[in-house]
Amino acid sequence: MLILITYDVNTTTGEGRKRLAKIAKVCVSYGQRVQNSVFQCDVDQAKYIALKNQLLDIYDSDKDSLRFYNLGNKYQSRIEHYGKDTSYDPEGVLIL
Amino acid sequence: MLILITYDVNTTTGEGRKRLAKIAKVCVSYGQRVQNSVFQCDVDQAKYIALKNQLLDIYDSDKDSLRFYNLGNKYQSRIEHYGKDTSYDPEGVLIL
């Protein structure tokens, strides 16, 4: 299933900037950055729980916001993108 | 249906900052800001097309990124939020 992760991290402090870097690092290890603070992670339920727990360990619930959107398994038709693209399609054809 | 809109706008120029403000203004007129550049808009198909066209008229396809995620009608169970909340539930109980 595809999980979309969006976050707002308060980076007015050094700790905040560290949290931001850690959160991005965890997200990249499970999926793909498609925008500055938006990630798409194609994971099963067990990996989703592990991913979410890692992020909840890092973030500050008073200062940061973490949102998870479950787009299910048939997600391709749910997504439209326009403009500058920073993503690649993991299931797409790799042209060598 | 709930449409999630996420965007990255290049704000290194004055025009970029203007685009960002216009994009946010349009999104707020259709729905609710839930994070800095993340909006949730509960719209029908006709409104979705109008919303999307307005945003596509504003953004710069070389510099900005616009993403639309269709979460369908039964979306409540698809969304999890942790931490600082900037949203309200339009269908939730209003406590006076």
Side-chain angles (χ1 to χ4, degrees):
Chain A
M1 65 193 166
L2 190 75
I3 301 294
L4 184 75
I5 302 171
T6 71
Y7 53 75
D8 269 358
V9 174
N10 182 318
T11 54
T12 53
T13 64
E15 289 95 44
R17 286 187 286 278
K18 270 188 217 149
R19 290 197 307 274
L20 182 69
K22 280 186 196 167
I23 284 171
K25 203 172 167 196
V26 168
C27 290
V28 160
S29 67
Y30 283 88
Q32 175 193 356
R33 176 174 246 156
V34 293
Q35 281 177 349
N36 212 0
S37 49
V38 178
F39 285 78
Q40 291 181 186
C41 302
D42 196 352
V43 290
D44 60 28
Q45 188 62 24
K47 270 200 181 141
Y48 177 29
I49 291 167
L51 162 61
K52 192 164 44 173
N53 287 335
Q54 279 184 270
L55 296 179
L56 293 177
D57 280 347
I58 298 167
Y59 97 123
D60 180 326
S61 59
D62 294 328
K63 294 177 184 153
D64 308 332
S65 166
L66 269 176
R67 302 186 72 89
F68 300 87
Y69 296 89
N70 186 336
L71 293 162
N73 293 316
K74 296 195 183 88
Y75 53 84
Q76 281 81 356
S77 63
R78 291 182 179 278
I79 305 173
E80 289 182 57
H81 171 256
Y82 298 86
K84 227 178 104 189
D85 191 356
T86 52
S87 73
Y88 68 91
D89 179 351
E91 289 159 34
V93 174
L94 187 66
I95 300 160
L96 297 176
Chain B
M1 67 191 166
L2 191 74
I3 301 294
L4 184 74
I5 302 171
T6 70
Y7 54 76
D8 269 359
V9 174
N10 182 318
T11 54
T12 52
T13 64
E15 289 93 47
R17 287 187 287 278
K18 270 189 216 147
R19 290 197 307 275
L20 181 70
K22 280 185 195 167
I23 285 172
K25 203 173 168 196
V26 167
C27 289
V28 160
S29 69
Y30 284 88
Q32 174 192 355
R33 176 175 243 155
V34 292
Q35 281 177 349
N36 212 359
S37 49
V38 179
F39 285 77
Q40 292 181 187
C41 302
D42 197 351
V43 289
D44 60 27
Q45 188 62 23
K47 271 199 180 144
Y48 177 30
I49 292 166
L51 163 60
K52 192 162 44 172
N53 287 336
Q54 278 183 269
L55 295 179
L56 293 177
D57 280 347
I58 298 168
Y59 98 123
D60 180 327
S61 59
D62 294 328
K63 294 177 184 153
D64 308 333
S65 166
L66 269 176
R67 301 185 75 86
F68 300 87
Y69 295 89
N70 186 337
L71 292 163
N73 294 316
K74 297 195 180 90
Y75 54 84
Q76 282 81 355
S77 63
R78 290 183 179 279
I79 304 174
E80 290 181 57
H81 170 256
Y82 298 86
K84 228 178 106 190
D85 191 359
T86 50
S87 71
Y88 67 90
D89 179 351
E91 290 159 33
V93 174
L94 187 65
I95 299 159
L96 298 176

